[in-house]
Amino acid sequence: MDAKERIMKAMHQEPTDRPPCICPGGMMNMITTDLMDEANVSWPEAHLNARMMADLAEANYEKGCFENVGVPFCMTIEAEAMGAQVTMGSKIYEPHVTGYAINSVTEWETIAPMSMEEGRAKVVLDAIRILKSRNLDVPIIGNITGPVSTASSVMEPVIFYKELRKKKEEAHRYMQFVTDEIIKFARAQIDAGADIIAISDPSGTGEILGPKLFEEYTVKYNNMIWDALQKETMGKIMHICGQMKNVYPQAELIHSDVLSFDSCVSMREAREHLKKHALMGNVSTWTLEFGQPEKVEQLAVKCWKDGSNIISPACGLGTKSPLTNIQAIRHGIMEEAANV
């Protein structure tokens, strides 16, 4: 199987020769300082330049790390486009929000809609077009920051979480606005050439919200995105952070093809509770940064044996993770497949 066929089948729980090994991008950033040095392209410049962004994403594949390319390398594109202040970080640290656009969900109407023709949203779309023009034999993954995480980046998150309960009517209007903007950005990524869309919504975890609000906000608004993209993309990946024990029934309601989890989630347990979704993950990012390649290989194979359809890091990689450790994920899976 080639990489595109393998991931397509794995996302829909069809038989494959082995699990694909991917790292989507976005929150699940696949870029390390070793890779930057190999590619001679670095952050923060690559966040602002489409060709550099494309070159760095492609280097991840060319250096034998993962069987995909994906952009961007952070979770701040949407929030910045909606008025939040963002620093570009450094070679080691990803961009992050430094100032908020609004102080309450009641102020949502003051937020400007996202523009696809300027700023870093345009950089991402241009990078996807460049990657598409190179006719790579691996899928291009476009990355979206989930609606709860975007909404809690545009305003102060502690206030946001309180107002989800205390100002429900305005909170839902705010979430609807944010979700509509995200749909625009996701569609623009597909139009630019993205094969797969991945949404990461770490602030929408059931650990923070609890089952009721997880369904009311995380499930509801992510499903609006997935339903809008239903016929527009070949695959839909959803990453949720934190423990899942209390929200498995609600997670099963999510309309993505794939659910991805952090390393605190037992893949064996997740497989028992989730029948409708392909599962993705969840090689420990701590081990990827601080462990040995042999241990990484063992963890990757364990994920496969425990029921993961797609092997990936559990979350975003630490930028100091050694290149040999990143390459060990795919190497371990290919070795195991050869011995089956």
Side-chain angles (χ1 to χ4, degrees), residues 30-75:
M30 80 296 286
I31 305 302
T32 64
T33 52
D34 278 0
L35 191 66
M36 294 183 216
D37 292 341
E38 291 272 347
N40 198 30
V41 179
S42 289
W43 293 351
E45 293 81 8
H47 298 304
L48 301 167
N49 182 293
R51 188 161 299 280
M52 294 174 76
M53 183 178 284
D55 288 348
L56 202 48
E58 186 177 355
N60 142 77
Y61 162 59
E62 295 292 349
K63 297 299 178 181
C65 298
F66 298 107
E67 299 167 312
N68 72 285
V69 293
V71 294
F73 312 128
C74 72
M75 296 186 65

Side-chain angles (χ1 to χ4, degrees), residues 45-293:
E45 293 81 8
H47 298 304
L48 301 167
N49 182 293
R51 188 161 299 280
M52 294 174 76
M53 183 178 284
D55 288 348
L56 202 48
E58 186 177 355
N60 142 77
Y61 162 59
E62 295 292 349
K63 297 299 178 181
C65 298
F66 298 107
E67 299 167 312
N68 72 285
V69 293
V71 294
F73 312 128
C74 72
M75 296 186 65
T76 59
I77 307 293
E78 298 88 348
E80 185 181 43
M82 294 183 205
Q85 296 173 11
V86 173
T87 175
M88 289 300 103
S90 66
K91 184 175 180 179
I92 299 172
Y93 299 109
E94 298 170 20
H96 58 274
V97 172
T98 57
Y100 303 110
I102 57 174
N103 298 307
S104 168
V105 297
T106 61
E107 299 174 6
W108 69 269
E109 289 179 283
T110 66
I111 302 171
M114 287 185 69
S115 170
M116 305 298 137
E117 304 300 327
E118 61 185 11
R120 287 197 297 137
K122 183 179 187 300
V123 172
V124 172
L125 298 175
D126 287 345
I128 293 173
R129 292 186 188 100
I130 292 167
L131 289 165
K132 188 70 172 180
S133 72
R134 293 176 181 176
N135 295 313
L136 305 174
D137 55 3
V138 292
I140 300 168
I141 301 182
N143 288 271
I144 295 295
T145 305
V148 177
S149 299
T150 298
S152 61
S153 295
V154 175
M155 65 175 284
E156 207 284 328
V158 173
I159 298 173
F160 171 74
Y161 287 126
K162 289 179 180 177
E163 292 187 344
L164 292 181
R165 296 173 172 85
K166 294 182 177 180
K167 299 180 180 179
K168 278 185 179 289
E169 188 174 334
E170 286 297 317
H172 279 292
R173 288 176 182 162
Y174 175 40
M175 289 297 299
Q176 183 68 62
F177 170 81
V178 168
T179 301
D180 289 344
E181 295 304 301
I182 289 171
I183 290 169
K184 280 173 24 183
F185 191 33
R187 281 184 168 148
Q189 291 187 24
I190 294 167
D191 290 344
D195 301 302
I196 297 166
I197 293 294
I199 298 178
S200 296
D201 207 356
S203 299
T205 172
E207 276 192 313
I208 296 174
L209 296 176
K212 184 175 182 295
L213 291 182
F214 180 78
E215 183 170 347
E216 183 177 351
Y217 289 100
T218 303
V219 175
K220 176 180 179 178
Y221 291 102
N222 277 289
N223 278 351
M224 284 186 185
I225 301 170
W226 294 133
D227 292 347
L229 305 180
Q230 192 66 39
K231 298 178 180 179
E232 299 182 29
T233 180
M234 80 179 208
K236 307 181 291 294
I237 297 171
M238 177 88 211
H239 179 82
I240 304 169
C241 282
Q243 271 292 355
M244 297 298 297
K245 291 180 183 295
N246 296 328
V247 292
Y248 279 126
Q250 292 79 14
E252 191 76 308
L253 300 174
I254 295 172
H255 296 169
S256 62
D257 303 308
V258 181
L259 289 176
S260 164
F261 302 121
D262 209 339
S263 57
C264 61
V265 175
S266 161
M267 273 295 164
R268 190 178 297 276
E269 180 185 272
R271 185 73 285 166
E272 291 172 0
H273 287 89
L274 301 167
K275 305 301 182 185
K276 296 179 182 178
H277 295 84
L279 299 184
M280 181 173 121
N282 59 354
V283 179
S284 163
T285 50
W286 189 93
T287 304
L288 282 165
E289 185 163 1
F290 300 108
Q292 297 299 314

